[in-house]
Amino acid sequence: MVDRLANSEANTRRISIVENCFGAAGQPLTIPGRVLIGEGVLTKLCRKKPKARQFFLFNDILVYGNIVIQKKKYNKQHIIPLENVTIDSIQDEGDLRNGWLIKTPTKSFAVYAATATEKSEWMSHINKCVSDLLSKSGKTPSNEHAAVWVPDSEATVCMRCQKAKFTPVNRRHHCRKCGFVVCGPCSEKRFLLPSQSSKPVRICDFCYDLLSAGEMTTCQPTRSDSYNQSPKFPLNDVSDDDDDDDSSD
């Protein structure tokens, strides 16, 4: 089915429409053999709060961006190679339902569909695309993935020392290895995580000690377990004017 669509005029036209919606700031998406499998709006759990994002699933990449004008204009395009993707289902919790984790070596995050049926369809199509890609390339599934960041709203105090309270002055920071929300004194060190950055990145003292001792795998928590539990902290949401927080602490 996918192979038949690859060179069809309808597929080329659909991909061209997506390219135009992202405008000049977006990367070209039309290449030989690429097929647009489906698209839709998913709720992405961002650092500050959940936000609606437009997602496009191709047979080799997953693309998403901010919605400026629905079906007409998107910005802040993100492209994720599917051969590096693994996904895990998330249990329903409160208003956040029908979710799953999208995990890659460079970035991992949670998304939520409007219905259980949509979730099932998205996960099924993603898994099929990943399986087909790995089958053709002969590669093995990626075992390494970046931590899913704990949302700011789930931590009013540092998740490591359990003492420092967050205020406008005492800012929240995220450990790039475990994804925990930590205070400045608990995350003063930097460590090179090649899959995430060419420069040393902020990590918490706990992960730094384990990484320095060569115990890299032991400081990576199972983020799906964390998302299957109720937040341990009361909500303390603040405004957010951006989607992704790769460059922020």
Side-chain angles (χ1 to χ4, degrees):
M1 179 66 175
V2 170
D3 290 337
R4 290 203 305 271
L5 290 172
N7 297 315
S8 71
E9 290 185 9
N11 177 65
T12 301
R13 186 166 56 250
R14 292 176 68 201
I15 295 178
S16 178
I17 291 172
V18 176
E19 285 184 337
N20 292 336
C21 285
F22 278 104
Q27 295 184 36
L29 299 173
T30 302
I31 65 170
R34 176 167 290 165
V35 176
L36 177 58
I37 304 297
E39 63 181 272
V41 177
L42 299 174
T43 298
K44 179 177 178 290
L45 195 60
C46 301
R47 175 179 178 176
K48 303 290 186 181
K49 58 186 177 183
K51 294 184 176 182
R53 295 289 178 255
Q54 184 74 24
F55 281 77
F56 301 92
L57 177 63
F58 296 83
N59 60 330
D60 62 334
I61 58 174
L62 182 65
V63 178
Y64 71 93
N66 294 9
I67 301 170
V68 179
I69 303 175
Q70 183 62 46
K71 295 188 178 298
K72 291 185 178 181
K73 185 177 181 180
Y74 310 111
N75 64 13
K76 297 185 179 177
Q77 183 191 72
H78 297 264
I79 299 177
I80 302 173
L82 281 180
E83 66 179 10
N84 296 326
V85 168
T86 56
I87 57 177
D88 289 327
S89 181
I90 306 173
Q91 292 181 7
D92 294 344
E93 185 64 50
D95 293 334
L96 295 175
R97 308 178 65 82
N98 310 313
W100 67 97
L101 297 178
I102 296 175
K103 303 186 296 184
T104 79
T106 57
K107 183 178 180 64
S108 302
F109 53 90
V111 293
Y112 297 84
T115 67
T117 300
E118 284 187 26
K119 170 186 175 178
S120 177
E121 291 176 348
W122 270 101
M123 293 189 70
S124 176
H125 287 307
I126 291 173
N127 278 327
K128 179 65 166 57
C129 289
V130 173
S131 176
D132 288 348
L133 279 173
L134 294 177
S135 177
K136 290 180 180 179
S137 67
K139 296 180 180 179
T140 56
S142 175
N143 292 321
E144 181 183 6
H145 63 268
V148 179
W149 285 17
V150 175
D152 284 4
S153 58
E154 291 191 19
T156 56
V157 298
C158 175
M159 298 178 71
R160 285 304 183 195
C161 69
Q162 299 287 320
K163 296 177 181 178
K165 292 184 179 181
F166 297 121
T167 67
V169 176
N170 187 29
R171 298 175 53 228
R172 293 170 172 83
H173 303 278
H174 276 84
C175 172
R176 268 47 173 190
K177 183 61 181 175
C178 68
F180 279 15
V181 184
V182 291
C183 64
C186 284
S187 59
E188 293 180 339
K189 297 181 175 65
R190 300 288 192 277
F191 200 93
L192 181 62
L193 301 178
S195 63
Q196 296 189 38
S197 175
S198 59
K199 299 179 181 179
V201 294
R202 179 187 294 269
I203 61 174
C204 67
D205 292 348
F206 177 78
C207 287
Y208 181 85
D209 290 341
L210 290 176
L211 287 165
S212 298
E215 302 173 15
M216 295 186 69
T217 57
T218 59
C219 79
Q220 173 65 64
T222 304
R223 298 302 308 138
S224 55
D225 292 342
S226 174
Y227 276 92
N228 287 339
Q229 300 173 0
S230 299
K232 299 179 176 64
F233 307 98
L235 294 180
N236 182 30
D237 208 358
V238 293
S239 62
D240 182 22
D241 57 3
D242 201 357
D243 167 24
D244 295 288
D245 308 276
D246 300 320
S247 60
S248 42
D249 291 330

